[in-house]
């Protein structure tokens, strides 16, 4: 019973298109918001709101999702979910609205996008897990480097 037990490995395609035979691109409207904290720069809050709007649009468009969970002695030890939506969304318009909510600033981002999944080869995405993992590691390293540079810039 001390051995690791893999209990879930699944590939799921979540598609929210109106009909499976529909090949026409769909138009999606999504919003994201972020409140500017005491130490946040307005640009950071605006970027976070945009990221939230893109995530919401991606969920509406349909994405490739991979889930991996691991247990040991019936206790969850690892749980990972990856979403891939490369080359699916194209932003047609973006509206950024700063708002004063009480005594804090909030950014609201409204995106209008098109989603066209015809050019996406999900079998290739599923088979290319190593490249996706490498790109995610590279993205994480670049984010850390960017945060270090920001911190160094703020100290100077």
């Amino acid at each position: 019973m001390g051995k690791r037990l893999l209990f879930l490995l699944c590939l799921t395609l979540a598609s929210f298109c109106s009909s499976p035979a529909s090949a026409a691109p769909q138009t999606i409207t999504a919003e994201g918001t972020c409140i500017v904290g005491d130490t946040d720069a307005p640009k950071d809050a605006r970027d976070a709101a945009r990221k939230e709007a893109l995530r919401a649009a991606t969920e509406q468009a349909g994405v490739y999702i991979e889930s991996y969970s691991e247990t040991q002695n019936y206790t969850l030890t690892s749980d990972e979910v990856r979403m891939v939506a490369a080359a699916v969304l194209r932003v047609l318009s973006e509206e950024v609205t700063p708002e004063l909510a009480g005594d804090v600033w909030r950014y609201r981002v409204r995106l209008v996008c098109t989603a066209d999944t015809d050019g996406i080869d999900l079998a290739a995405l599923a088979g290319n897990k190593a490249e996706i993992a490498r790109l995610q590691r590279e993205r994480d390293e670049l984010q850390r480097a960017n945060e270090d540079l920001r911190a160094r810039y703020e100290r100077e």
Side-chain angles (χ1 to χ4, degrees):
M1 286 286 162
K3 296 180 181 179
R4 293 173 142 174
L5 173 65
L6 296 177
F7 74 89
L8 179 63
L9 179 60
C10 68
L11 299 175
T12 305
L13 174 62
S15 179
F16 301 98
C17 296
S18 57
S19 71
S22 173
Q26 69 182 96
T27 301
I28 296 169
T29 302
E31 285 193 6
T33 59
C34 184
I35 293 175
V36 180
D38 291 338
T39 60
D40 293 333
K43 182 186 180 317
D44 293 337
R46 186 176 59 241
D47 291 347
R50 186 177 198 279
K51 202 179 283 189
E52 183 181 320
L54 281 171
R55 181 196 52 75
T58 300
E59 288 176 356
Q60 290 179 49
V63 294
Y64 166 82
I65 299 174
E66 179 181 272
S67 173
Y68 171 81
S69 297
E70 184 178 308
T71 63
Q72 186 173 8
N73 294 330
Y74 300 104
T75 302
L76 184 66
T77 59
S78 176
D79 192 24
E80 184 177 340
V81 177
R82 294 182 186 173
M83 287 190 341
V84 178
V88 173
L89 291 178
R90 192 174 102 217
V91 177
L92 299 176
S93 70
E94 179 174 343
E95 180 183 319
V96 179
T97 309
E99 305 168 329
L100 188 58
D103 59 347
V104 296
W105 281 97
R106 174 177 58 201
Y107 277 89
R108 182 180 307 279
V109 175
R110 182 177 181 270
L111 299 177
V112 177
C113 309
T114 58
D116 189 358
T117 57
D118 284 346
I120 303 300
D121 183 358
L122 290 175
L125 285 175
N128 204 359
K129 294 178 198 174
E131 178 66 8
I132 292 169
R134 184 191 69 76
L135 289 171
Q136 287 175 331
R137 283 192 306 276
E138 182 179 331
R139 179 205 61 208
D140 293 344
E141 289 169 9
L142 288 170
Q143 283 178 335
R144 277 192 296 277
N146 189 30
E147 290 168 5
D148 291 345
L149 287 172
R150 275 192 182 162
R152 194 175 339 155
Y153 176 75
E154 289 176 1
R155 285 192 303 262
E156 293 177 1

